[in-house]
């Protein structure tokens, strides 16, 4: 695991992760353990991403999304976005609530400082004043699933409807390949 070796002992007041859906959830959890500060600045994390229905991030933002609609889209809920939710970690499990008080009632022995908050702020192409209509034209050239995700913010649009992604947690790391292992090489781009 590269992140454990690279960041062991590190401390970051601010963590900025671009394309959160490209990170394994275990890597993000590990980096959160490095998100600390003794300089007086409260530690925080900011992340960006594009919608990806196959990513663990969809489960994270699900409370801010509308139910799947008649067109099979799952868009941000305007009534919920930008409102914080609160989470308390309990030995690897995350307990979520709409208020800090709700978590403290469920966990009376919890320390208030242990409660973290998360806010989902969806962005649209028109929100970025530096990207023009020519970029929108490039996005419209993409397949329907990517265009729906990138232009509409649709978290139900599949990046590739016929391909599932591999998750790090599905596999056990071994020191060497077992006897009789068959090897082959392929282009990763074929499977995107």
């Amino acid at each position: 695991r590269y992140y454990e070796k690279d960041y062991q002992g590190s401390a970051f007041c601010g963590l900025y992760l671009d394309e959160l859906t490209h990170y394994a959830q275990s890597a993000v959890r590990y980096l959160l353990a490095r998100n600390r500060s003794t300089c007086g600045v409260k530690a925080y994390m900011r992340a960006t991403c594009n919608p990806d229905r196959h990513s663990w991030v969809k489960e994270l933002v699900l409370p801010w999304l509308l139910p799947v609609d008649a067109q099979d889209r799952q868009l941000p809920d305007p009534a919920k976005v930008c409102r914080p939710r609160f989470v308390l970690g309990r030995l690897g499990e995350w307990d979520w609530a709409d208020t800090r008080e709700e978590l403290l009632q469920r966990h009376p022995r919890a320390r208030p400082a242990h409660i973290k908050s998360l806010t989902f702020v969806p962005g649209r192409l028109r929100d970025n004043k530096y990207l023009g209509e020519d970029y929108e034209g490039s996005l419209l050239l993409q397949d329907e699933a990517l265009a729906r995700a990138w232009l509409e913010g649709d978290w139900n649009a599949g990046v590739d409807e016929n391909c599932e992604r591999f998750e790090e947690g599905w596999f056990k790391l071994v020191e060497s390949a077992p006897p009789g292992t068959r090897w082959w090489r392929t282009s990763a781009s074929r499977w995107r």
Side-chain angles (χ1 to χ4, degrees):
R1 296 183 177 194
Y2 75 92
Y3 46 89
E4 289 179 4
K5 292 177 187 172
D6 292 347
Y7 300 109
Q8 185 71 40
S10 298
F12 305 103
C13 293
L15 280 174
Y16 300 89
L17 303 178
D18 189 29
E19 294 298 344
L20 186 64
T21 55
H22 296 190
Y23 288 81
Q25 184 179 23
S26 59
V28 174
R29 285 185 185 213
Y30 185 82
L31 288 172
L32 280 171
R34 312 278 56 91
N35 191 209
R36 56 194 177 181
S37 171
T38 58
C39 69
V41 175
K42 185 175 180 180
Y44 63 92
M45 178 176 145
R46 304 287 184 268
T48 66
C49 67
N50 285 298
D52 181 347
R53 78 178 191 165
H54 298 294
S55 169
W56 64 273
V57 178
K58 181 180 179 184
E59 288 298 317
L60 193 65
V61 302
L62 200 55
W64 288 277
L65 301 179
L66 292 164
V68 176
D69 66 16
Q71 288 84 34
D72 198 36
R73 297 177 307 171
Q74 192 160 27
L75 303 172
D77 184 344
K80 294 180 181 174
V81 297
C82 301
R83 290 187 180 173
R85 294 198 76 224
F86 300 89
V87 62
L88 180 64
R90 308 300 290 173
L91 300 174
E93 296 297 320
W94 294 18
D95 188 12
W96 290 92
D98 291 326
T99 66
R100 289 178 189 277
E101 293 74 24
E102 186 180 339
L103 284 173
L104 290 171
Q105 285 178 355
R106 287 203 301 256
H107 305 280
R109 297 174 57 187
R111 295 181 183 168
H114 290 180
I115 296 173
K116 306 288 186 180
S117 66
L118 176 73
T119 305
F120 174 61
V121 181
R124 302 291 296 268
L125 180 60
R126 66 179 170 267
D127 296 331
N128 191 330
K129 63 183 178 182
Y130 299 105
L131 298 175
E133 290 183 17
D134 58 329
Y135 181 62
E136 183 176 13
S138 297
L139 295 181
L140 289 167
L141 291 172
Q142 305 306 310
D143 64 39
E144 180 185 357
L146 282 178
R148 281 178 40 195
W150 292 351
L151 288 169
E152 299 176 20
D154 181 2
W155 280 85
N156 207 39
V159 174
D160 182 349
E161 300 296 332
N162 299 317
C163 178
E164 293 294 325
R165 294 188 181 185
F166 293 104
E167 299 289 335
E168 179 182 352
W170 296 350
F171 302 96
K172 177 181 170 188
L173 295 177
V174 295
E175 293 297 320
S176 61
T181 299
R182 294 175 52 194
W183 299 92
W184 70 91
R185 187 184 305 194
T186 185
S187 167
S189 63
R190 284 185 55 207
W191 304 104
R192 286 189 177 261

